[in-house]
């Protein structure tokens, strides 16, 4: 890319200031250079149109910079064109000579690119920075192409801090529409300190002759002898690095913005955990003077639970979208990831939201300049919204990320409840909600009965038999010792815990939990079934006991046999209870699959036996009733017989 | 599947009509308009308790050679009409019901938007997206 520039400018090397260099390289990248360095004509045309110069001027620019001659915009032509456009915008004639001197950066209105969108938060700082650098407004720089004509970037960079004080008086706040567009990376790189200095001066004033400062700065550039390429490389690196930082900026709410939104929310609704009704929000957002259609679209994007009201995160999202839209960024079709409520909620708490702000913006806090820019930006937003703005200083940097977790589930849960019609907009929220929902049902002792029983009996027996897994025996022993008198017997529910056997690791926990309550319950059955179990384990229940033994002996629980046994029973059980169980046990995952499976098999056996016993009892009762009924019938028939001869006679 | 979907306001003017552009849209507009008579007839049939006893899903309004027309009316007298190609015999009643349910849901979303004035034509993109996601629609 170094090659074309010299040729493009007709051999005259044009010096570019640091900011210009960045800006132009950004614009260059914006125009989608292909492999040979030529720029996409469409993009270039778009950019030229955005400069708001008359068509004739643009033609002149094209001609002078050499693109007309070449037929395309190479790097050099493009840069020359940009400089010429800057000159034209400054009122100078479109000539090569005019660009030899210092000039402000060209202004491009309406250019929306990623870079610009990356800097929605730093319009004013950029302006101040540009003043520092002697440049006014320009497009956001991009990973630059090398610029042979770039000059004195070292000097300019070095002199930035030195020059900034003298330039401070010359700083003029940018025009707000173009403000967002000028994001010289230098701002980030060097400017944090200087930015802070100029922060106060930034607030939206009409554009001012920036050339006051620029001449002083540009004169710097006239000093050569700095290795341009190396400097460019460093700029590139910085640019890229900064660019990466800003990759999410347009749609990420920074801390300052969040504070502002919080204030606004409070003005509408003092309770941050409550909702803003639709009409209230409508009146508020209508003040932004956006077209109703766009506001409607913003609402659709931000009201994710579709309840006609805005929660605090939804409000922040909507506000942010409005701000972005006012700054010229097109509305997205879908909600960007960083604005999703799941994301937002991670940083927001029902309680004071300010605490959470920092967590979201932890990355941002590193860039002090951002916050200062936020302030400036807030101020720029302020006039559009009549409510007063109180730019609070960025005071709460890193917040308790740890507190996020307990809060986010609550937030998510609240969201779940607030939804009139469930919409899964965030998997995390659903998972958390599900987990929370699932955890409570864990206690049901139903399956535990059999499990505990089985485990208590069989495990001990098995452990003694196998002499295996000392840990298992310990586990069982501990489990047994830890068993408390279980609650009253519940209908056997093997599937829940048995299903857990499919999940190694969870089984142990589930079994453990299961064992405890059911221990006592099964005690009465234990005597009956113990013997039968012991015998049954080896004989009655066929495959499961055998599997158990094999499992025990081998120490590896074959999953498949266990499953086979468990499935029929699992089918009878209620899946919902199973899934909560599985989720719960997942959370408490422990090791020891083999004993779990064994236990489950045993539990299944026990359940079968129980059902058998119950059914037999039922059967016997019914038989007795049948007999009674028979007897009654016989007596009645005999009475009838006795009466019949009497009646007949 | 559905070749035309229409949302008619209470005053019987269309809020939203969308048809498969391959066939003449005008024809579908006309069909929907004539189907409104059938809808009125059905909903006026129940005299006493209105919404309680009246089923929202009106079912097949009338079949023609080429297509069938199904109707659905909400409690606020907003009508949804779906025109389905007759050649598609696999569409069961349940599917039509589910389509209406989704339509109703997306319409409710539009209504929830405070920036939407009831009675305005529906220009919501989300609504349009929801329409395209109806089973086999467009």
């Amino acid at each position: 890319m170094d090659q074309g520039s010299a040729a493009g400018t007709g051999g005259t090397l044009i010096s570019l200031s640091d900011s210009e260099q960045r800006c132009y390289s950004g614009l260059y990248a914006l125009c989608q250079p292909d492999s040979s360095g030529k720029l996409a004509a469409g993009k270039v045309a778009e950019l030229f149109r955005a400069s708001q110069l008359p068509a004739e001027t643009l033609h002149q620019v094209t001609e002078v910079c050499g693109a007309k001659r070449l037929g395309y915009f190479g790097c050099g032509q493009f840069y020359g064109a940009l400089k010429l456009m800057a000159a034209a915008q400054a009122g100078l004639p479109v000539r090569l000579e005019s660009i030899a001197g210092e000039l402000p950066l060209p202004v491009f209105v309406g250019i929306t690119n990623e870079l610009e969108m990356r800097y929605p938060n730093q319009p004013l700082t950029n302006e101040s920075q540009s003043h520092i650098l002697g440049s006014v407004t320009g497009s956001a720089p991009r990973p630059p192409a090398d610029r042979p004509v770039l000059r004195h970037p070292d000097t300019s960079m070095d002199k930035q801090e030195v020059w900034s004080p003298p330039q401070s008086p010359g700083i003029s706040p940018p025009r707000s529409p173009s403000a967002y567009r000028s994001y010289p990376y230098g701002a980030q790189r060097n400017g944090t300190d200087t930015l802070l200095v100029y922060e106060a001066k930034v607030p939206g004033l009409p554009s001012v002759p920036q050339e006051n400062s620029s001449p002083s700065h540009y004169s710097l550039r006239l000093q050569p002898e700095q290795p341009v390429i190396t400097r460019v490389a460093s700029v590139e690196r910085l640019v890229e690095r900064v660019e990466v930082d800003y990759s999410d900026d347009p749609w990420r709410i920074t801390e300052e913005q969040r504070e502002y939104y919080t204030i606004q929310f409070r003005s509408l609704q003092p309770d941050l955990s409550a909702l803003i009704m639709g009409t209230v929000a409508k009146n508020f957002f209508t003040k932004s003077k956006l077209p109703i259609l766009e506001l409607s679209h913003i609402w659709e994007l931000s009201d994710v639970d579709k309840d006609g009201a805005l929660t605090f995160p939804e409000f922040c999202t909507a506000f942010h979208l409005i701000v972005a839209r006012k700054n010229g960024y097109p509305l997205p079709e879908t909600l960007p990831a960083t604005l999703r409520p799941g994301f937002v909620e991670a940083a927001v708490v029902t309680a004071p939201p300010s605490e959470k702000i920092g967590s979201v913006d932890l990355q941002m806090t590193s860039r002090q300049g951002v916050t200062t820019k936020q302030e400036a930006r807030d101020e720029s937003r302020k006039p559009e919204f009549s409510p007063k703005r109180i730019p609070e200083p960025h005071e709460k940097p890193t917040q308790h990320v740890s507190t996020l977790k307990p809060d986010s589930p609550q937030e998510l849960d609240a969201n779940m409840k607030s939804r009139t019609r469930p919409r899964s907009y965030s998997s995390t929220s659903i998972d958390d909600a599900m987990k929370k929902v699932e955890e409570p049902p864990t206690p049901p002792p139903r399956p535990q009965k059999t499990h505990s029983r089985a485990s208590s009996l069989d495990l001990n027996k098995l452990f003694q038999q196998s002499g295996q897994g000392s840990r298992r025996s310990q586990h069982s022993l501990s489990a047994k010792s830890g068993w408390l008198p279980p609650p009253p017997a519940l209908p056997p529910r093997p599937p829940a815990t048995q299903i857990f056997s499919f999940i190694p690791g969870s089984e142990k926990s589930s079994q453990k939990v299961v064992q405890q309550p059911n221990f006592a319950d099964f005690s009465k059955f234990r005597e009956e079934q113990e013997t039968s179990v012991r015998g049954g384990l080896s004989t009655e229940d066929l495959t499961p006991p055998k599997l158990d033994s094999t499992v025990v002996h081998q120490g590896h629980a074959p999953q498949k046999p266990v499953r086979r046994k468990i499935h029929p029973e699992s089918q009878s059980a209620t899946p919902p209870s199973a899934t909560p169980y599985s989720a719960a046990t997942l959370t408490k995952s422990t090791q020891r699959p083999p004993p779990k499976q064994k236990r489950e098999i045993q539990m299944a056996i026990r359940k079968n036996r129980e059902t058998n016993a119950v059914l037999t009892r039922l059967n016997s009762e019914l038989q007795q009733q049948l007999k009674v009924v028979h007897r009654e019938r016989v007596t009645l028939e005999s009475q009838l017989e006795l009466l019949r001869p009497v009646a007949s006679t | 599947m559905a070749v035309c979907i229409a949302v008619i306001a209470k005053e019987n003017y269309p809020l939203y009509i969308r048809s498969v552009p391959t066939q003449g849209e005008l024809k579908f507009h006309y069909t929907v308009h004539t189907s409104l008579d059938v809808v009125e007839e059905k909903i006026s049939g129940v005299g006493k308790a209105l919404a309680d006893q009246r089923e929202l899903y009106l079912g097949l309004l009338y079949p023609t050679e080429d297509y069938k027309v199904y109707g659905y009316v909400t409690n606020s007298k907003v009508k949804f009409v779906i025109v389905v190609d007759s050649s598609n015999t696999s569409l069961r009643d349940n599917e039509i019901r589910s389509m209406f349910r989704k339509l109703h849901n997306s319409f409710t979303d539009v209504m929830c938007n405070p920036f939407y004035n009831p009675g305005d034509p529906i220009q919501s993109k989300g609504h349009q997206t929801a329409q395209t996601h109806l089973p086999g629609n467009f």
Side-chain angles (χ1 to χ4, degrees):
Chain A
M1 297 214 180
D2 292 356
Q3 302 82 10
S5 52
T9 53
T12 358
L13 292 181
I14 312 290
S15 62
L16 288 186
S17 72
D18 212 1
S19 61
E20 277 187 335
Q21 167 189 329
R22 279 189 301 276
C23 163
Y24 291 177
S25 54
L27 288 171
Y28 182 81
L30 171 66
C31 291
Q32 297 170 0
D34 64 12
S35 55
S36 69
K38 297 182 200 170
L39 296 176
K43 285 283 181 179
V44 174
E46 198 182 307
L47 189 69
F48 281 16
R49 275 195 296 276
S51 69
Q52 293 183 337
L53 291 171
E56 193 193 329
T57 314
L58 291 174
H59 285 312
Q60 277 182 327
V61 166
T62 318
E63 212 172 325
V64 171
C65 77
K68 202 158 190 177
R69 182 167 29 96
L70 290 172
Y72 61 85
F73 271 97
C75 178
Q77 293 80 40
F78 185 69
Y79 283 40
L82 292 173
K83 201 105 180 55
L84 287 166
M85 281 196 285
Q89 285 173 349
L92 301 172
V94 179
R95 292 274 188 281
L96 276 179
E97 299 79 28
S98 37
I99 61 177
E102 57 273 358
L103 283 170
L105 285 180
V107 180
F108 296 98
V109 180
I111 289 289
T112 59
N113 54 18
E114 304 159 11
L115 284 180
E116 290 172 357
M117 287 171 59
R118 287 183 197 159
Y119 312 105
N121 313 319
Q122 312 124 25
L124 302 177
T125 351
N126 292 325
E127 284 303 319
S128 62
Q129 184 62 11
S130 67
H131 291 298
I132 293 169
L133 299 172
S135 59
V136 179
T137 57
S139 307
R142 273 257 200 158
D146 291 343
R147 288 275 312 170
V149 295
L150 292 179
R151 300 229 166 177
H152 332 302
D154 276 348
T155 51
S156 57
M157 294 306 301
D158 297 340
K159 301 272 191 333
Q160 274 182 4
E161 282 76 12
V162 173
W163 281 72
S164 49
Q167 292 172 5
S168 58
I171 285 180
S172 60
R175 297 165 285 251
S176 63
S178 50
Y180 331 108
R181 313 254 158 72
S182 60
Y183 301 121
Y185 286 114
Q188 313 319 327
R189 217 169 346 148
N190 326 306
T192 55
D193 302 336
T194 51
L195 284 175
L196 288 168
V197 172
Y198 300 116
E199 225 5 272
K201 306 191 208 280
V202 169
L205 302 174
S207 60
V208 167
Q210 294 113 359
E211 285 145 41
N212 303 337
S213 51
S214 51
S216 56
H217 181 78
Y218 279 73
S219 60
L220 267 183
R221 286 181 284 115
L222 296 177
Q223 306 166 19
E225 295 99 18
Q226 295 287 343
V228 173
I229 297 177
T230 58
R231 194 59 187 172
V232 169
S234 66
V235 169
E236 280 180 86
R237 280 195 297 277
L238 279 166
V239 162
E240 283 162 2
R241 187 170 11 130
V242 176
E243 193 176 342
V244 167
D245 292 338
Y246 289 154
S247 58
D248 287 338
D249 255 4
W251 305 120
R252 186 188 292 268
I253 302 179
T254 66
E255 186 163 338
E256 280 300 316
Q257 286 178 326
R258 190 171 296 285
E259 302 225 14
Y260 183 58
Y261 300 154
T262 314
I263 294 156
Q264 297 304 318
F265 191 94
R266 283 217 180 92
S267 72
L268 295 176
Q269 169 70 268
D271 183 5
L272 281 165
S273 62
L275 301 170
I276 292 186
M277 299 320 295
T279 45
V280 173
K282 176 182 176 181
N283 293 337
F284 179 75
F285 288 135
T286 311
K287 290 187 211 159
S288 70
K289 299 192 185 55
L290 281 180
I292 294 291
L293 197 59
E294 294 189 8
L295 288 172
S296 171
H297 187 61
I298 288 175
W299 176 276
E300 275 179 12
L301 286 178
S302 50
D303 189 11
V304 284
D305 52 7
K306 305 285 183 200
D307 57 356
L310 295 182
T311 64
F312 179 64
E314 288 174 349
F315 177 82
C316 287
T317 310
F319 209 126
H320 196 69
L321 285 169
I322 287 178
V323 167
R325 186 77 187 105
K326 290 233 75 143
N327 292 334
Y329 304 135
L331 284 180
E333 290 298 319
T334 57
L335 207 55
T338 52
L339 283 178
R340 291 245 170 73
F343 178 91
V344 171
E345 286 163 14
V348 172
V349 177
T350 53
S354 57
E355 292 174 350
K356 301 308 166 195
I357 293 173
S359 57
V360 172
D361 297 299
L362 281 177
Q363 347 173 3
M364 307 285 213
T365 57
S366 59
R367 289 168 298 181
Q368 290 302 318
V370 172
T371 56
T372 55
K373 291 160 198 165
Q374 279 309 302
E375 284 182 344
R377 177 169 171 69
D378 288 347
E379 290 183 292
S380 70
R381 285 199 306 261
K382 195 178 166 181
E384 300 163 358
F385 288 85
S386 47
K388 277 211 181 30
R389 183 212 158 230
I390 308 160
E392 291 177 1
H394 168 48
E395 59 200 0
K396 301 161 189 122
T398 59
Q399 295 306 326
H400 327 295
V401 181
S402 60
T403 55
L404 281 184
K405 280 197 179 156
D407 289 322
S408 55
Q410 292 169 14
E411 190 72 20
L412 296 167
D413 238 8
N415 258 15
M416 291 282 286
K417 292 167 196 160
S418 67
R419 278 188 252 153
T420 54
R421 273 165 288 133
R423 304 278 171 99
S424 63
Y425 53 80
S426 160
S427 61
T428 55
S429 66
I430 287 194
D431 289 345
D432 289 342
M434 279 290 286
K435 282 211 178 129
K436 292 192 59 159
V437 167
E438 292 158 0
E439 282 166 3
T442 350
R446 310 165 238 159
Q448 301 160 359
K449 229 193 333 189
T450 49
H451 289 286
S452 68
R453 198 155 151 279
S455 57
S456 69
L457 299 171
D458 301 329
L459 281 178
N460 290 335
K461 175 176 62 93
L462 291 168
F463 293 154
Q464 289 158 13
Q465 289 174 0
S466 63
Q468 202 180 17
S470 57
R471 63 187 176 98
R472 252 184 285 133
S473 58
Q474 286 168 3
H475 169 71
S476 69
L477 286 173
S478 61
K480 273 170 60 177
S481 58
W483 286 332
L484 308 169
L490 295 176
R493 295 256 189 165
T497 44
Q498 284 174 359
I499 285 178
F500 300 148
S501 70
F502 306 155
I503 308 154
S506 63
E507 298 164 0
K508 276 290 176 177
S509 59
S510 67
Q511 294 240 348
K512 213 171 175 178
V513 175
V514 161
Q515 291 160 11
Q516 294 182 2
N518 298 325
F519 184 70
D521 252 350
F522 282 81
S523 57
K524 44 182 181 195
F525 294 102
R526 205 188 300 169
E527 293 76 15
E528 312 171 9
Q529 302 195 7
E530 210 171 353
T531 54
S532 61
V533 164
R534 289 177 188 271
L537 275 181
S538 51
T539 59
E540 279 184 28
D541 283 291
L542 318 168
T543 48
K546 284 171 194 166
L547 289 171
D548 281 354
S549 57
T550 54
V551 165
V552 171
H553 290 303
Q554 293 167 9
H556 299 292
Q559 292 270 0
K560 286 186 182 162
V562 174
R563 254 184 247 126
R564 237 183 287 129
K565 165 79 179 169
I566 290 171
H567 265 308
E569 294 188 328
S570 65
Q571 284 160 8
S572 61
T574 55
S577 64
T579 47
Y581 264 96
S582 55
T585 54
L586 273 174
T587 59
K588 318 171 196 171
S589 62
T590 55
Q591 311 269 329
R592 309 172 206 174
K596 286 265 179 176
Q597 291 167 1
K598 256 187 313 182
R599 260 179 248 132
E600 283 159 9
I601 296 168
Q602 289 151 11
M603 280 188 280
I605 297 163
R606 298 208 181 281
K607 280 186 191 127
N608 285 339
R609 293 217 191 86
E610 284 160 25
T611 46
N612 283 346
V614 168
L615 288 172
T616 47
R617 254 179 284 134
L618 195 61
N619 192 17
S620 59
E621 284 168 12
L622 289 169
Q623 294 283 346
Q624 285 170 0
Q625 285 178 10
L626 185 61
K627 284 176 201 161
V628 167
V629 168
H630 263 301
R631 266 183 245 124
E632 286 175 11
R633 186 187 168 200
V634 165
T635 51
L636 285 170
E637 279 181 0
S638 58
Q639 286 174 5
L640 193 61
E641 297 256 353
L642 290 172
L643 290 171
R644 202 179 288 146
V646 174
S648 62
T649 57
Chain B
M1 307 256 298
V3 292
C4 176
I5 290 180
V7 178
I8 317 289
K10 179 177 172 185
E11 295 82 10
N12 289 333
Y13 63 86
L15 293 175
Y16 178 84
I17 292 189
R18 188 146 163 243
S19 15
V20 170
T22 56
Q23 314 180 22
E25 297 196 37
L26 196 58
K27 185 180 79 171
F28 291 126
H29 288 214
Y30 179 69
T31 308
V32 169
H33 183 74
T34 53
S35 69
L36 289 179
D37 280 338
V38 187
V39 173
E40 286 285 341
E41 182 190 326
K42 283 194 190 261
I43 64 176
S44 65
V46 183
K48 349 161 215 184
L50 304 165
D52 300 350
Q53 304 201 354
R54 183 157 51 82
E55 173 80 14
L56 296 182
Y57 174 68
L58 302 174
L60 183 67
L61 297 178
Y62 68 89
T64 69
E65 296 174 353
D66 302 329
Y67 45 80
K68 306 188 181 80
V69 183
Y70 293 89
Y72 181 99
V73 62
T74 70
N75 288 328
S76 55
K77 299 285 177 65
V78 174
K79 304 154 189 82
F80 302 125
V81 177
I82 292 184
V83 181
V84 179
D85 209 344
S86 276
S87 59
N88 192 332
T89 53
S90 65
L91 263 186
R92 289 174 294 121
D93 197 53
N94 279 339
E95 294 175 12
I96 306 283
R97 280 181 196 263
S98 75
M99 283 166 71
F100 274 124
R101 208 172 312 122
K102 286 178 195 158
L103 198 59
H104 197 168
N105 280 344
S106 83
F107 177 74
T108 314
D109 291 345
V110 172
M111 278 292 154
C112 276
N113 189 332
F115 298 105
Y116 169 76
N117 286 323
D120 288 350
I122 295 176
Q123 291 157 336
S124 143
K125 291 179 213 152
H127 187 70
Q128 287 177 6
T129 319
Q131 306 305 311
T132 54
H133 288 136
L134 282 182
N137 199 4
F138 304 137

